[in-house]
Amino acid sequence: MKWNLRWAAAKRDIWRPVDLQAAFAKVGFTPSLSKVAALWGGTPVTVRLEDLDKICAALGCTVADLMEAEPVAAAGGQEEQERAVGGEAGPVRPVPRRDGPRRLRPPN
């Protein structure tokens, strides 16, 4: 996901974390300045839905304005193929390998 908090804030003429904290305070959202700076400076690992709702209210935007989906690169530099949930793209369960001797007894 791409985090677009700075872009959404810039549309409201907010350019610093301190100004963003003041906008948050107007809607009753009072995070610490360090938390606001962390949201401002990079993509957060987690954001509570309640906090996300208050951020959107403070900036007059939607969640889609704050977060943008990006394609995920698969191993080997190839892009992962997208499919619908429940779509047939391969086996659902792992398939056992049959390329070597099978262990018949557990190790000692």
Side-chain angles (χ1 to χ4, degrees), residues 40-76:
W40 183 266
T43 303
V45 175
T46 60
V47 178
R48 293 177 47 205
L49 293 177
E50 182 179 315
D51 294 348
L52 192 60
D53 189 38
K54 291 176 182 178
I55 291 168
C56 289
L59 297 176
C61 65
T62 65
V63 174
D65 295 331
L66 289 177
M67 293 187 288
E68 181 180 336
E70 292 182 322
V72 178

Side-chain angles (χ1 to χ4, degrees), residues 4-95:
N4 294 323
L5 178 67
R6 283 185 168 194
W7 179 78
K11 290 174 89 175
R12 297 253 348 240
D13 201 31
I14 296 173
W15 302 102
R16 298 179 314 166
V18 174
D19 300 332
L20 184 60
Q21 187 180 29
F24 288 165
K26 290 179 184 177
V27 295
F29 183 42
T30 56
S32 65
L33 184 56
S34 63
K35 182 174 180 177
V36 174
L39 291 170
W40 183 266
T43 303
V45 175
T46 60
V47 178
R48 293 177 47 205
L49 293 177
E50 182 179 315
D51 294 348
L52 192 60
D53 189 38
K54 291 176 182 178
I55 291 168
C56 289
L59 297 176
C61 65
T62 65
V63 174
D65 295 331
L66 289 177
M67 293 187 288
E68 181 180 336
E70 292 182 322
V72 178
Q78 299 174 353
E79 288 189 15
E80 187 176 323
Q81 187 177 16
E82 293 183 26
R83 66 181 177 98
V85 173
E88 294 298 321
V92 175
R93 295 183 179 166
V95 179

Side-chain angles (χ1 to χ4, degrees), residues 95-102:
V95 179
R97 296 188 326 192
R98 302 283 183 197
D99 57 351
R102 293 179 35 173

